[in-house]
Amino acid sequence: MTAYDIKLAADRRDRPTATAAVPTASAMLRFEQLDTDYDPDTQTLWTDMRARTRPSFNPELLQDFVRWQDDITQLVDTGAMPIRYLVLGSRFPGVFSLGGDLHLFAHAIRTRDHAALVRYGHRCVQILYRNMRGLDRPIVTIALAEGDALGGGFEALLSFHVVIAERGASFGLPETMFGLFPGMGAHCFLSRRLGAARAEQMILSGRTYSAEELYEMGLVHGLAAPGEGRRMVADYIRQNQRRHSAHCAIYEASRAVNPLPLEELEAVVDLWADAALRLTEGDLKRMERLVAAQTRLRDKAAR
């Protein structure tokens, strides 16, 4: 049993057990901040984030993701819902995700709560690790970025097998603006995709990149016109259904050739938490200005 298996088992012990041995599909995949829709023709589970506050990964949304992944593996293993493709998008206009919960970070840093930072970061990378591995099932994971993905939102995209992005979307790692670095997978994923030097350059720059630039780098696999992202994902799935098994095998082989253990992801989180506690009051104020900007964006979308 791996360290990840042990942690996952501990997580499940904290969850209430179902009274039925095998819950029906209709009793599962129900969440506060995730919407799901199953297409039986292509065996695709479409999922959209709808964060209840800012379009970022609040702790409750992370818990939804853990339950989402658990439900999917149970539905696949029992045959209740065959899933070959798993698609994640967002219902927030113009935004895939703005990343980590900066309000939580600022509070934990001010109260010197190192454990809270580590706990949050470990939960994030455990979710991304399972996603990177297709939940250890023959599942192809697809990210649909109809809008911006920044910070942890960009890191999340990097854990998917396939990324489809609409033109006009922006991507970046702005953490250096407030004295930090992206600690939930960016360095690990980018180093393997682009090489260590280019990954460091991208992280240190703090700049935003267009969907077209990421397509040229190979980080985005398909470019769609604005409003056409979902159609492009559906077309991709239809065109590649016969190659599904080959694609799954290729992704598995890639992980064997260039493995990324969960322990490495968690070690970077630990370094990130240490660095977070070294931030100054000025850094925290810059972080809070970003929180205020995210809140204004949410309020504008709600009108």
Side-chain angles (χ1 to χ4, degrees), residues 57 96-100 128 148-160 163 170-175 182 184-186 189-190 193-194 202-203 207-210 214 217 219-220:
F57 297 128
F96 176 78
S97 174
L98 300 181
L128 298 190
D148 298 345
L150 302 175
F154 184 26
E155 291 179 290
L157 285 182
L158 295 171
S159 73
F160 284 81
V163 178
S170 296
F171 307 83
L173 300 164
E175 286 84 350
M184 281 61 158
F189 290 124
L190 289 173
R193 300 276 188 88
L194 304 176
M202 195 171 188
I203 292 168
R207 61 163 288 207
T208 57
Y209 294 81
S210 67
L214 293 194
M217 294 180 193
L219 299 177
V220 164

Side-chain angles (χ1 to χ4, degrees), residues 34-92:
L34 294 173
D35 292 331
T36 60
D37 184 38
Y38 180 64
D39 178 4
D41 293 334
T42 59
Q43 297 183 351
T44 300
L45 182 66
W46 295 77
T47 304
D48 288 295
M49 297 176 284
R50 47 176 177 82
R52 67 184 185 189
T53 55
R54 298 175 301 278
S56 58
F57 297 128
N58 61 71
E60 294 76 20
L61 177 56
L62 295 183
Q63 185 57 37
D64 273 356
F65 273 123
V66 172
R67 290 182 49 241
W68 177 69
Q69 292 181 327
D70 286 348
D71 285 357
I72 289 167
T73 56
Q74 187 166 358
L75 289 167
V76 170
D77 290 350
T78 60
M81 182 181 286
I83 297 172
R84 289 155 57 95
Y85 295 93
L86 187 57
V87 183
L88 181 67
S90 170
R91 292 201 180 280
F92 196 95

